[in-house]
Amino acid sequence: MIVFSVFLACTGNAPVLIGFSGELTGSNADLGVQGRNGAILAIESVNESGGINGRPIELIVQDDGGTPTGAKAADSALIEANVVAIVGHMTSGQSMAALPVIEKAGMLMLSPTTSTSLLTGIDDHFLRVQPAITAAAGKLARIARSQYRAERIVVIADQDNLAYSDAFRKAFVDTFEKTGGHLSENLFFSSSSHPDFDELMRPISPSNVNGLLIIASARDTAFIAQHLRNNGFSCPLFSSGWAQTNTLIQNGGKAVEGLILVADYDIDSRKPAFETFRLRYRERFGRPPTFAAAQSYEAMNLLAKALKQTGGNRSGLKEALLGINDFQGLLGNIKMDPYGDVIRTQFVVTVKNGNFQTLSAIET
């Protein structure tokens, strides 16, 4: 357990303890590290402005290890530490695994990046600032059909985060087939088992597909793209927002040029709030922020706003959060429904000249 104490001018009041759960170690730790950093930056800003009614926020961090068992252990430790709420997890699989733990304890969890549709429309203690995955998957399928003329597509998905990858796959394929496309093959792999991607892709050939959808972390999406390009696949590549981190470009290189995804993050935004955040993040952590950092920053600020209404207390916190009708996020308003699901603008993003580039906004 790591405790982050952030300087605050107002002293003499007991701190408000907030937990953070995310994957901080291992091959796919980019989401967790960026999420933790975004939370820290938000807390520093809140504390500099007086904290929660004069009380400083103190962040207690747990590494969920990117596994269901780790997620349960991390949240159990945070509950034992008497946090008032948990910001996390960063993947749908870990959020699903931890749900029974937080429900039993009546602990509120606010996720920056969980988007599985399996948690949509449920009256529980899980809330989020990222929309359910189905909207983005459907929009990406329409783009694949209308703009890239994809008729036969292969889906390659990581089954270790099945709550996310299978929900995205089903929503994409449903729209793709309804608009006249054909699913050629579903290929599943386990990212924790050091997969042989050449063996995985043996059932398909460049001649029988004209589109490939990869639903995996940035690291694995990059490796799969490399294997595809090295084996003669030149057709368009599509991916989910899960892969929108710098790791994709660093590891994928030319193989991920032109890749298309639909996400909630506009790296090219010139909104004043986002530009200020981007500058402060780079100064604080020495690297540009990803969607995980931005949405964790938003989640922590939203939570702080609700805590000011409850006086920093856990009691009534869910009601306070749901009562915030419109929250001004970094890229626009975040509207939360009575079940803690949100609506926000989404963006069509590509990789061009070694950078993410926003092509257009999709208003919801």
Side-chain angles (χ1 to χ4, degrees):
M1 181 181 296
I2 304 172
V3 180
F4 286 89
S5 296
V6 184
F7 172 78
L8 179 64
C10 53
T11 58
N13 293 315
V16 177
L17 304 181
I18 296 177
F20 175 86
S21 283
E23 184 176 357
L24 301 175
T25 56
S27 59
N28 296 318
D30 49 346
L31 284 182
V33 171
Q34 287 264 350
R36 178 203 61 194
N37 292 349
I40 291 172
L41 194 65
I43 288 174
E44 289 176 344
S45 177
V46 172
N47 282 352
E48 288 165 4
S49 300
I52 306 299
N53 304 338
R55 297 171 61 190
I57 297 175
E58 192 170 271
L59 188 66
I60 302 178
V61 175
Q62 284 284 342
D63 180 5
D64 68 23
T67 67
T69 301
K72 295 174 185 177
D75 291 353
S76 295
L78 291 173
I79 292 166
E80 183 69 22
N82 292 317
V83 300
V84 297
I86 297 173
V87 173
H89 293 258
M90 304 302 290
T91 59
S92 295
Q94 273 53 268
S95 292
M96 290 287 293
L99 191 61
V101 175
I102 65 167
E103 283 299 300
K104 183 178 180 180
M107 175 62 63
L108 185 136
M109 174 175 284
L110 181 60
S111 175
T113 52
T114 293
S115 57
T116 177
S117 56
L118 297 176
L119 292 172
T120 301
I122 303 173
D123 185 9
D124 54 18
H125 290 85
F126 174 84
L127 291 77
R128 51 184 163 189
V129 299
Q130 176 154 324
I133 205 170
T134 48
K139 290 167 185 172
L140 184 63
R142 290 186 181 92
I143 290 169
R145 289 285 296 128
S146 63
Q147 297 182 29
Y148 291 86
R149 308 300 181 193
E151 296 179 355
R152 302 177 310 281
I153 202 156
V154 169
V155 179
I156 304 172
D158 182 0
Q159 64 187 13
D160 285 359
N161 189 15
L162 201 62
Y164 176 94
S165 60
D166 203 40
F168 193 101
R169 181 191 67 82
K170 288 177 179 177
F172 179 96
V173 170
D174 182 61
T175 301
F176 191 76
E177 292 184 334
K178 283 180 178 178
T179 54
H182 173 71
L183 173 66
S184 296
E185 192 83 40
N186 282 315
L187 302 176
F188 288 95
F189 70 96
S190 169
S191 56
S192 62
S193 301
H194 308 290
D196 182 338
F197 290 123
D198 283 329
E199 182 64 27
L200 176 73
M201 292 178 285
R202 195 174 301 278
I204 60 174
S205 68
S207 62
N208 62 18
V209 297
N210 54 14
L212 288 139
L213 170 63
I214 307 168
I215 313 171
S217 69
R219 174 180 176 271
D220 287 326
T221 299
F223 289 158
I224 292 169
Q226 293 276 10
H227 280 265
L228 288 167
R229 296 312 191 206
N230 289 340
N231 284 279
F233 289 87
S234 59
C235 59
L237 299 183
F238 306 96
S239 184
S240 69
W242 185 10
Q244 194 190 11
T245 77
N246 297 332
T247 300
L248 175 73
I249 294 171
Q250 291 166 359
N251 290 355
K254 292 182 179 179
V256 297
E257 281 286 311
L259 178 145
I260 297 290
L261 55 88
V262 172
D264 311 303
Y265 185 60
D266 177 13
I267 197 171
D268 298 323
S269 175
R270 294 295 177 262
K271 290 183 179 291
F274 180 75
E275 290 198 314
T276 298
F277 161 76
R278 181 165 48 195
L279 178 62
R280 289 187 60 220
Y281 189 94
R282 184 183 282 276
E283 289 176 346
R284 179 69 170 80
F285 300 106
R287 66 183 69 178
T290 66
F291 76 97
Q295 290 173 203
S296 188
Y297 179 88
E298 290 173 328
M300 189 61 75
N301 275 299
L302 179 59
L303 183 58
K305 184 173 182 177
L307 282 167
K308 289 176 182 178
Q309 296 180 27
T310 68
N313 297 316
R314 176 174 157 184
S315 178
L317 184 55
K318 177 183 174 181
E319 292 73 20
L321 274 165
L322 294 178
I324 301 173
N325 294 323
D326 283 333
F327 176 75
Q328 187 60 45
L330 295 172
L331 299 171
N333 285 350
I334 299 173
K335 299 178 182 180
M336 190 174 289
D337 72 13
Y339 299 104
D341 299 312
V342 300
I343 297 172
R344 60 188 299 165
T345 302
Q346 295 182 308
F347 305 92
V348 182
V349 178
T350 190
V351 178
K352 184 175 181 179
N353 298 325
N355 293 289
F356 288 112
Q357 182 179 100
T358 301
L359 297 178
S360 62
I362 306 172
E363 299 295 339
T364 54

